[in-house]
Amino acid sequence: MAKKTTKKSNETGWDYAPSLESIGHIDLKESYDLFIDGKWVKPSSGKYFETINPANEKVLAKVAHANEEDVDRAVKAARKAYDTVWSKMPASERAKYIFRIARLMQERARELSVIETLDAGKSIRESRDIDVPLACNHFFYYAGWADKLEYAFPNRDFEPLGVAGQIIPWNFPLLMAAWKIAPALAAGNTVVLKPAETTPLTALKLAEIIELSGLPPGVVNIVTGFGDTGAAIVEHPEVNKVAFTGSTAVGKHIQRAVAGTDKKVTLELGGKSSNIIFEDAPIDQAVEGIINGIFFNQGHVCCAGSRLFVQESVAELVVRKLKQRMDSLYVGDPLDKNTDIGAINSKEQLEVINKYIKIGIEEGAEMYQPNCELPDKGYFCRPTLFSNVAQSNVIAQEEIFGPVLTIQTFRTVDEVIQKANNSPYGLAAGVWTDKGSRIFNLTSKLRAGVVWANTYNKFDPASPFGGYKESGFGREGGLHGLRAYVKLK
Amino acid sequence: MQGLKMVLNMIDLTTLEGKDTPGKVKQMCYKAQHLHDSYPGLPTVAAVCVYPSMVGVARKELRSNTVKIASVSTAFPSGQAPMSVKLEDTRFAVSEGADEIDMVISRGKFLAGEYNFVFDEIAAIKEACGKARLKVILETGELSTLDNVRRASDIAIHAGADFIKTSTGKIQPAATMQVTYTMLMAIRDHYDRTGIMIGMKPAGGISTSKLALHNLVMVKEVLGDQWLSNEWFRFGASSLANDVLMQIMKTETGVYQSPDYFSMD
Amino acid sequence: MTRLQVLKTYKIFIGGQFPRTESGRYYSLKGKDGFDIANVCLSSRKDARNAVVAARKAFGSWSERSAFNRGQIVYRIAEMLEGRRSQFIEELQLMGLNAANAAKEVDATVDRIVFYAGWCDKYQQIVSSVNPVASSHFNFSVAEPTGVVGIVAPEESPLLGLVSLLIPAIAGGNTVVLLASEKYPLSAVTLAEVIHSSDVPGGVVNVLTGTAGELMPPLASHLDVNAMTSAGLSKDMASAMHVQAADNVKRVFNYPAMDWSKASSQGLSMIEDLQEIKTTWHPIENIGGATSSY
């Protein structure tokens, strides 16, 4: 193995040896079929597609491409399971199934982490310490709700929706599957889930775990495929609920597609979240928060703190410290435990990011990238910072979904609130200040679904997540996440 | 391996007990120069760290100059003594041959907000040190917040510390990673402003190779490679050396080691 | 030759250890045919005192653990208990239950623990509130565990009854001194063993065997115990408990005797009873004209 972690090439001294997570213990098949009605079935078209490792462009497995007919089978299986088993079962037994899935996931956590890293390109440190534990915890958390729904909706008549069609993105493949499946099952629904075409593997491993758990056939069905597969789910007449996480463009399309039906919809879409640093903030902590806010998961985070607002009096200091911190980030093999920034999820996404970097340069913003080597193979992008940016810049308005940060300065509280709210999006925001009263001022005035104070990119199964405005509607996580999966009368 | 050897060479091998005797110090000094003779090519530790009364003993035992002598002073570990005593304590240690002085700050005064007192005291001791390098012990376990750790670091640095050091080893918690990280940040900010390098010495609680390597990684990431030598970074430890030796031998032989095979002094 | 069986010594459980009572006393538990089943510790007031000290010591870190972590641990108790299902059934039979009832009792117990495991990271979301005060303050109320809780195990449902009082207390972050039922001490001690092997930190649960008549008063009057719970205590006992508890204004809950196998014997209120509500006022900076009406 060549040196895997790359750093400033001109540096000498003490270098870390690569510390690669072993892939010897993972169990991946050459090809995966569709998980429908508790069985693995071949796609009716006979078509399969390849999923690759974005860090080295090698094929990991072949995966079935479900068409309308397959989706129909899955929805019918889900409907049957709903009618005959899942809605009839005592809630406390339903809870125990979900607990069981959570435990099985915990037992296989490392395998799931490694596969997630291989398939999605995210660093092993992140998949091991964040994605997979959170996914397990989501199941664990919602398991407990299954027999306590009357406490969640006191004095209200409620019932499950029926069959939930769920479409998830490629940035947190397993975690998004957990966010979708766990509350749906807890509330008594059955599920047809489609993972993203570039990252289907952990959802399929989850299907194996579900199979192993003894969950009644048809309660969870996993169908892999592309946009057409997703469209078939959205448009299927027997789907009662559509839950989608992904781009705002597709979200709008879904909203139009379900128009005139009784389908309940929740959308978790894009963002251009602001991260606001006041002069009295703990600067070193804020710098870490900025780094985590934008470079976490290569910036493939819908709530990434991609618009940085720094109060003018500390702007120079913050930018200097940011650059210094960026210099110590390791970009490279996602399997290496030293790696901070892994691979960009796909070639297409890398092209999108590079397009925006080009726009930023053309717009006259000042770019900074650390001088680190990138691996020869695979899709990688240096952490990138643009200073000298205004609200009017395209790179400050549009979601880039990559490790690209724009920095604007501000002078007053009022000004920064207005600028932060001056966006069609409203997913999240960060506020850094030593003043508690200021935090609450901002949390009450920012039009965003999540506000992090002196921290960023924190997630917890007990905490609701979701956006204002074009960032979507409905909440996932916490007590509020249950509402998306019941009909309240 | 490179990291482990670096750790060995950064250790201030320490004995700071009420029951210390010339015999004990002599044995430790021998160990400091002969870490594990059966495996050639190992560095010595950076220094031995003893009470002022033992500096003379150490001076006699350490004939070569590769191992420095550090002495605690200023009424270590509490620092609760009049200024005259602290100055005398320091001068005595230097006159006995100490190359380095590890002083404690007056935590009570610091917590009472008398920062000028703390500053002046450090400056006065620095003067008393003469050519000896001054390490300033903040005793972070008594400072209670990271904000305080940072403030104390800044005071010590500005008052003339050559090194800042976390702890006496007598108070828990001692050199936690958060504390060391905070102090490294203070050093870095000072360097960015002035170009002057300040040394760092975490002490207390770092007894395994793994923890020591965690610390080295922090130094590398926060300050850079130029701090990776015993001129700028030390570990205050009494039992770390043997654990590092065991790891070195494990790396060499592929076999997990037993403490039975490593001398205890 | 037939093999000689090795008999188990039933001991009490204090601070994560299994000592014998400091008093050295015992009572012998008789089976329904009159034979001795076991010598059970007849704990003293000093054991009770030691148990309270252990519970207080454990309270800080247990109550400060994340709710999620407590949920994991409580769920672990259910897992471990399920694994010892046959042992519990056997013991319940020794103490007089028939096989079918014993099995039902154990299964219901496991399910009850799972029920409360799920509550650990949820009750806060139900019982806390954000309060819309008129001034420029962010005002919120949250639940916090009461502290050290003395529990007198009910005399019905040898396992399910005590679990139904014990688990909501610890799920809510309290620590407990549990007085086992005099009639049914065996499953209490074996439950202690399960708890011991379930990552529950020492001192969170302490179990004493003996007589409620002797052990309840020192607990109910103990100034470092914050609450007492029991179910179906006799009128005299209950009123004595209330009187003693008043010395330091303990929270006292003597629930009515109930059929523990019913779902109505479990619920959020069992957790809520052992919580305090804390309200925090935090100012909201109120300057300038920026509004969120963008």
Side-chain angles (χ1 to χ4, degrees):
Chain A
M1 279 275 176
K3 195 180 120 201
K4 283 296 171 187
T5 48
T6 51
K7 232 200 133 186
K8 272 204 282 187
S9 50
N10 58 356
E11 210 164 282
T12 52
W14 185 40
D15 260 321
Y16 311 139
S19 175
L20 294 180
E21 176 70 30
S22 154
I23 55 171
H25 58 93
I26 66 164
D27 178 20
L28 264 188
K29 291 191 283 194
E30 256 170 55
S31 132
Y32 283 91
D33 292 326
L34 306 168
F35 185 66
I36 296 176
D37 207 11
K39 290 183 283 292
W40 294 93
V41 299
K42 301 218 171 304
S44 53
S45 65
K47 281 189 192 149
Y48 291 80
F49 61 96
E50 290 175 339
T51 181
I52 64 155
N53 177 350
N56 61 16
E57 302 170 50
K58 284 190 186 139
V59 175
L60 291 165
K62 280 195 297 191
V63 176
H65 183 166
N67 62 15
E68 237 171 280
E69 200 184 321
D70 301 312
V71 168
D72 183 58
R73 273 154 76 194
V75 173
K76 290 213 157 75
R79 168 52 58 182
K80 192 174 121 226
Y82 177 78
D83 289 338
T84 59
V85 191
W86 201 238
S87 64
K88 301 235 157 58
M89 186 183 290
S92 56
E93 293 299 297
R94 215 166 64 220
K96 287 198 283 186
Y97 275 113
I98 308 172
F99 274 122
R100 199 186 264 194
I101 293 169
R103 282 305 216 210
L104 288 168
M105 286 173 74
Q106 287 177 327
E107 285 163 15
R108 299 188 169 196
R110 189 56 61 85
E111 182 187 25
L112 291 167
S113 311
V114 173
I115 293 175
E116 196 75 309
T117 285
L118 289 173
D119 205 17
K122 62 178 62 201
S123 73
I124 184 69
R125 217 153 36 88
E126 185 205 317
S127 55
R128 182 194 64 195
D129 297 346
I130 299 172
D131 289 49
V132 173
L134 266 179
C136 302
N137 296 358
H138 258 270
F139 275 97
F140 204 91
Y141 174 81
Y142 277 108
W145 272 123
D147 58 354
K148 300 176 183 66
L149 295 174
E150 67 272 23
Y151 294 94
F153 309 109
N155 304 313
R156 307 279 294 273
D157 275 340
F158 59 88
E159 59 185 40
L161 297 167
V163 176
Q166 306 178 321
I167 300 163
I168 58 171
W170 45 259
N171 57 342
F172 295 94
L174 182 69
L175 183 58
M176 290 301 108
W179 280 26
K180 294 282 181 287
I181 296 174
L185 296 188
N189 305 275
T190 57
V191 165
V192 177
L193 175 120
K194 184 194 97 67
E197 61 269 23
T198 59
T199 56
L201 293 180
T202 43
L204 293 164
K205 292 304 285 185
L206 178 60
E208 289 178 359
I209 285 172
I210 285 170
E211 190 182 11
L212 194 70
S213 76
L215 189 76
V219 173
V220 173
N221 306 276
I222 311 260
V223 291
T224 43
F226 289 80
D228 60 324
T229 316
I233 294 175
V234 172
E235 281 155 21
H236 197 288
E238 284 174 71
V239 164
N240 307 100
K241 151 92 191 182
V242 176
F244 171 75
T245 296
S247 72
T248 295
V250 177
K252 289 178 180 176
H253 181 78
I254 289 175
Q255 199 173 2
R256 290 181 195 118
V258 301
T261 69
D262 289 334
K263 285 172 193 168
K264 190 167 171 169
V265 178
T266 44
L267 301 171
E268 205 271 86
L269 310 175
K272 191 77 183 174
S273 298
S274 49
N275 201 358
I276 302 167
I277 319 295
F278 286 97
E279 60 187 0
D280 66 340
I283 299 293
D284 288 330
Q285 256 169 281
V287 167
E288 287 304 314
I290 297 165
I291 295 279
N292 178 46
I294 185 61
F295 300 131
F296 173 60
N297 199 31
Q298 296 71 249
H300 303 326
V301 185
C302 47
C303 53
S306 50
R307 284 191 300 156
L308 180 67
F309 291 97
V310 188
Q311 203 155 17
E312 277 187 13
S313 50
V314 290
E316 208 180 305
L317 177 69
V318 168
V319 171
R320 176 164 59 75
K321 283 182 173 254
L322 256 180
K323 289 178 179 171
Q324 210 168 30
R325 183 67 181 87
M326 283 165 72
D327 288 344
S328 67
L329 292 173
Y330 287 79
V331 184
D333 187 345
L335 275 178
D336 191 322
K337 289 170 236 172
N338 293 317
T339 294
D340 296 305
I341 300 184
I344 299 300
N345 187 267
S346 65
K347 197 170 165 214
E348 292 71 28
Q349 188 56 30
L350 183 58
E351 280 162 8
V352 169
I353 297 166
N354 285 334
K355 181 191 86 186
Y356 277 110
I357 291 178
K358 205 161 147 249
I359 291 174
I361 296 169
E362 284 167 5
E363 284 182 321
E366 219 171 281
M367 186 182 78
Y368 179 79
Q369 289 181 328
N371 176 30
C372 56
E373 295 165 22
L374 298 182
D376 309 333
K377 278 286 218 177
Y379 316 127
F380 290 90
C381 179
R382 290 188 178 89
T384 305
L385 168 162
F386 280 107
S387 47
N388 212 356
V389 174
Q391 278 296 88
S392 315
N393 285 75
V394 171
I395 51 168
Q397 292 176 358
E398 295 181 12
E399 184 175 40
I400 299 174
F401 224 62
V404 181
L405 178 68
T406 63
I407 305 182
Q408 301 177 60
T409 58
F410 69 94
R411 294 151 302 167
T412 66
V413 177
D414 272 8
E415 180 189 357
V416 78
I417 292 173
Q418 288 185 352
K419 280 184 172 169
N421 286 341
N422 178 209
S423 162
Y425 294 114
L427 192 47
V431 181
W432 298 80
T433 165
D434 231 13
K435 255 202 190 110
S437 60
R438 178 160 299 160
I439 289 169
F440 282 104
N441 181 7
L442 268 84
T443 58
S444 45
K445 291 188 181 134
L446 291 172
R447 303 276 294 161
V450 179
V451 180
W452 284 291
N454 293 329
T455 186
Y456 207 94
N457 274 340
K458 285 278 170 207
F459 306 94
D460 192 284
S463 175
F465 183 92
Y468 282 33
K469 303 193 274 187
E470 286 196 26
S471 292
F473 49 75
R475 292 294 176 267
E476 295 183 292
L479 176 55
H480 300 82
L482 284 170
R483 273 204 71 165
Y485 288 96
V486 294
K487 194 188 296 167
L488 288 173
K489 293 179 193 160
Chain B
M1 195 66 164
Q2 191 193 348
L4 289 170
K5 284 188 180 168
M6 210 151 52
V7 171
L8 279 184
N9 192 227
M10 289 172 169
I11 291 176
D12 281 3
L13 200 59
T14 302
T15 182
L16 294 168
E17 293 175 351
K19 61 177 192 279
D20 281 349
T21 57
K24 159 76 190 170
V25 171
K26 277 183 199 166
Q27 289 159 12
M28 191 179 79
C29 288
Y30 187 84
K31 169 82 173 180
Q33 304 167 92
H34 304 270
L35 281 170
H36 197 59
D37 285 346
S38 61
Y39 184 69
L42 286 178
T44 63
V45 298
V48 295
C49 182
V50 296
Y51 271 115
S53 57
M54 294 296 156
V55 172
V57 178
R59 183 80 279 162
K60 236 191 274 164
E61 292 304 312
L62 296 172
R63 285 172 201 97
S64 79
N65 219 12
T66 51
V67 178
K68 302 252 187 287
I69 298 172
S71 173
V72 296
S73 81
T74 68
F76 180 95
S78 75
Q80 300 281 16
M83 191 62 196
S84 55
V85 173
K86 292 184 186 180
L87 285 170
E88 189 43 44
D89 200 16
T90 306
R91 288 194 197 105
F92 174 75
V94 174
S95 69
E96 288 284 292
D99 306 298
E100 299 168 358
I101 294 295
D102 290 24
M103 74 170 285
V104 291
I105 65 165
S106 297
R107 285 87 73 190
K109 296 283 188 187
F110 178 88
L111 292 172
E114 296 181 39
Y115 304 131
N116 284 333
F117 180 95
V118 176
F119 181 97
D120 293 344
E121 197 175 59
I122 296 169
I125 298 295
K126 168 72 183 168
E127 212 182 318
C129 283
K131 279 188 189 151
R133 290 180 91 195
L134 176 65
K135 307 194 195 105
V136 177
I137 302 173
L138 309 181
E139 195 62 308
T140 53
E142 290 186 344
L143 299 184
S144 96
T145 68
L146 292 178
D147 284 337
N148 276 345
V149 170
R150 174 64 196 241
R151 187 174 295 134
S153 303
D154 289 342
I155 291 171
I157 289 170
H158 285 112
D162 298 302
F163 263 81
I164 50 178
K165 175 174 167 184
T166 59
S167 327
T168 60
K170 308 289 182 196
I171 298 276
Q172 289 301 323
T176 63
M177 287 183 69
Q178 293 95 315
V179 157
T180 302
Y181 184 72
T182 304
M183 292 169 68
L184 291 173
M185 292 294 239
I187 293 172
R188 195 191 69 190
D189 285 349
H190 185 70
Y191 179 72
D192 286 346
R193 269 195 303 269
T194 66
I196 298 169
M197 288 171 76
I198 303 290
M200 172 71 200
K201 178 176 172 185
I206 303 172
S207 55
T208 64
S209 307
K210 194 169 185 170
L211 272 176
L213 287 174
H214 285 165
N215 274 272
L216 282 194
V217 169
M218 273 200 295
V219 173
K220 180 179 163 68
E221 300 291 320
V222 177
L223 298 177
D225 283 332
Q226 49 178 334
W227 259 265
L228 290 176
S229 85
N230 66 15
E231 204 187 339
W232 301 110
F233 192 75
R234 297 282 179 84
F235 291 104
S238 47
S239 57
L240 173 62
N242 270 8
D243 191 73
V244 176
L245 289 171
M246 291 212 301
Q247 290 311 314
I248 288 176
M249 292 313 289
K250 191 259 150 189
T251 310
E252 202 58 28
T253 62
V255 176
Y256 290 109
Q257 303 289 306
S258 153
D260 288 355
Y261 298 85
F262 298 86
S263 60
M264 280 188 23
D265 275 308
Chain C
M1 220 172 100
T2 54
R3 181 181 166 276
L4 183 67
Q5 196 189 351
V6 177
L7 298 174
K8 168 171 161 185
T9 311
Y10 286 85
K11 299 198 283 187
I12 58 179
F13 183 50
I14 297 176
Q17 311 273 327
F18 288 92
R20 292 193 174 83
T21 164
E22 64 79 37
S23 68
R25 302 172 307 167
Y26 74 99
Y27 69 99
S28 72
L29 189 70
K30 308 275 186 210
K32 52 181 177 221
D33 44 13
F35 282 104
D36 281 1
I37 302 170
N39 295 317
V40 179
C41 288
L42 191 58
S43 306
S44 67
R45 53 187 299 129
K46 284 190 181 173
D47 293 317
R49 177 201 61 189
N50 294 345
V52 171
V53 169
R56 175 59 63 193
K57 198 170 154 206
F59 177 67
S61 68
W62 180 244
S63 60
E64 282 163 20
R65 282 188 187 233
S66 71
F68 178 80
N69 182 253
R70 283 206 303 271
Q72 293 270 310
I73 291 175
V74 174
Y75 186 80
R76 180 78 177 155
I77 300 176
E79 287 183 338
M80 299 305 281
L81 206 153
E82 179 93 49
R84 294 229 220 164
R85 189 170 177 275
S86 53
Q87 183 188 0
F88 276 99
I89 291 174
E90 241 173 70
E91 275 177 357
L92 289 170
Q93 285 179 274
L94 272 176
M95 293 187 295
L97 271 67
N98 68 34
N101 285 343
K104 247 195 258 168
E105 171 103 356
V106 176
D107 292 344
T109 300
V110 173
D111 288 356
R112 181 134 308 168
I113 299 171
V114 170
F115 173 77
Y116 284 113
W119 265 126
C120 290
D121 54 5
K122 295 176 189 66
Y123 67 84
Q124 187 71 264
Q125 294 178 303
I126 306 285
V127 304
S128 62
S129 64
V130 173
N131 314 310
V133 293
S135 56
S136 185
H137 287 89
F138 188 79
N139 176 301
F140 57 101
S141 303
V142 299
E144 287 188 350
T146 292
V148 174
V149 180
I151 298 178
V152 185
E155 290 289 337
E156 313 81 28
S157 292
L159 181 61
L160 182 57
L162 70 92
V163 160
S164 299
L165 292 184
L166 169 70
I167 301 295
I170 63 169
N174 299 282
T175 56
V176 165
V177 178
L178 173 78
L179 307 183
S181 138
E182 185 180 347
K183 229 163 48 177
Y184 303 118
L186 302 191
S187 32
V189 174
T190 305
L191 178 71
E193 291 160 15
V194 165
I195 286 169
H196 185 58
S197 58
S198 303
D199 300 329
V200 179
V204 171
V205 176
N206 304 276
V207 179
L208 304 175
T209 54
T211 68
E214 183 181 2
L215 295 172
M216 192 274 284
L219 277 185
S221 63
H222 198 305
L223 296 183
D224 206 22
V225 172
N226 304 98
M228 293 292 295
T229 67
S230 60
L233 278 192
S234 72
K235 221 174 159 193
D236 287 352
M237 280 273 275
S239 118
M241 179 166 79
H242 269 98
V243 169
Q244 286 157 337
D247 280 355
N248 65 337
V249 200
K250 278 187 192 66
R251 289 83 176 111
V252 182
F253 301 93
N254 180 35
Y255 304 107
M258 54 183 118
D259 180 352
W260 295 105
S261 65
K262 292 233 167 80
S264 58
S265 68
Q266 64 181 21
L268 176 60
S269 64
M270 296 283 234
I271 297 175
E272 235 180 325
D273 285 344
L274 297 172
Q275 299 289 315
E276 307 293 323
I277 296 297
K278 176 188 281 177
T279 298
T280 306
W281 292 70
H282 193 294
I284 301 175
E285 178 186 64
N286 204 354
I287 47 159
T291 62
S292 53
S293 60
Y294 224 94

